[in-house]
Amino acid sequence: MIDKIYEWVKNLSFYLVLVTALLQMLPDSDYRKYIRFFTGLVLIALLLTPVLKTVHAGDLKTEILQDADWQEFQDKLQKTETKVRKQMTETADAAENGKAQDEQKKIEVKEIEVQP
């Protein structure tokens, strides 16, 4: 993502230097205003390029999903989920074993005698 921003700024800088050099080489003529108008339109198009690319969210989503950091995050998330599931299973098994042991320790009272 940072690479895209860097490339965008580099393209803008190159374009501005090129247009400035072109305008300096032109003699004072009636065509100068038309050239400035056209180069202004191209500059606006260059400035709007990132906005137009983000409108195409599918492309952006694909780029994010293919990013190495995103893949690393997904791997860590998967490992964490696996650990949590394992701990939950172990806890449930321990609770089940504890219930079984409690049931074995119970004493059944068949008859109670009270003496005066």
Side-chain angles (χ1 to χ4, degrees):
M1 190 71 166
I2 299 294
D3 295 334
K4 297 284 184 185
I5 294 171
Y6 177 75
E7 183 180 334
W8 177 68
V9 171
K10 189 170 75 171
N11 288 340
L12 281 175
S13 302
F14 178 77
Y15 178 76
L16 290 173
V17 169
L18 182 69
V19 168
T20 304
L22 177 71
L23 289 175
Q24 292 300 319
M25 287 190 280
L26 287 176
D28 290 330
S29 68
D30 294 331
Y31 296 113
R32 189 178 192 124
K33 63 181 176 181
Y34 299 112
I35 293 172
R36 292 183 76 165
F37 176 74
F38 177 75
T39 56
L41 290 176
V42 173
L43 179 63
I44 290 171
L46 284 173
L47 288 171
L48 291 177
T49 301
V51 175
L52 295 174
K53 284 185 179 179
T54 55
V55 169
H56 300 292
D59 297 337
L60 182 62
K61 183 179 177 183
T62 303
E63 182 179 325
I64 289 173
L65 292 177
Q66 291 175 350
D67 190 25
D69 293 334
W70 178 256
Q71 292 297 330
E72 183 180 336
F73 173 74
Q74 288 288 357
D75 292 342
K76 285 182 181 179
L77 185 63
Q78 185 68 30
K79 288 177 184 177
T80 304
E81 183 180 356
T82 304
K83 285 181 185 178
V84 168
R85 287 183 186 272
K86 183 179 177 183
Q87 288 175 350
M88 288 175 61
T89 304
E90 289 173 357
T91 304
D93 290 344
E96 197 66 34
N97 289 339
K99 268 186 176 179
Q101 288 176 357
D102 287 345
E103 287 179 9
Q104 289 175 356
K105 292 180 182 177
K106 288 183 181 177
I107 300 173
E108 189 175 318
V109 179
K110 292 185 180 182
E111 189 176 317
I112 297 178
E113 228 178 87
V114 180
Q115 295 181 358

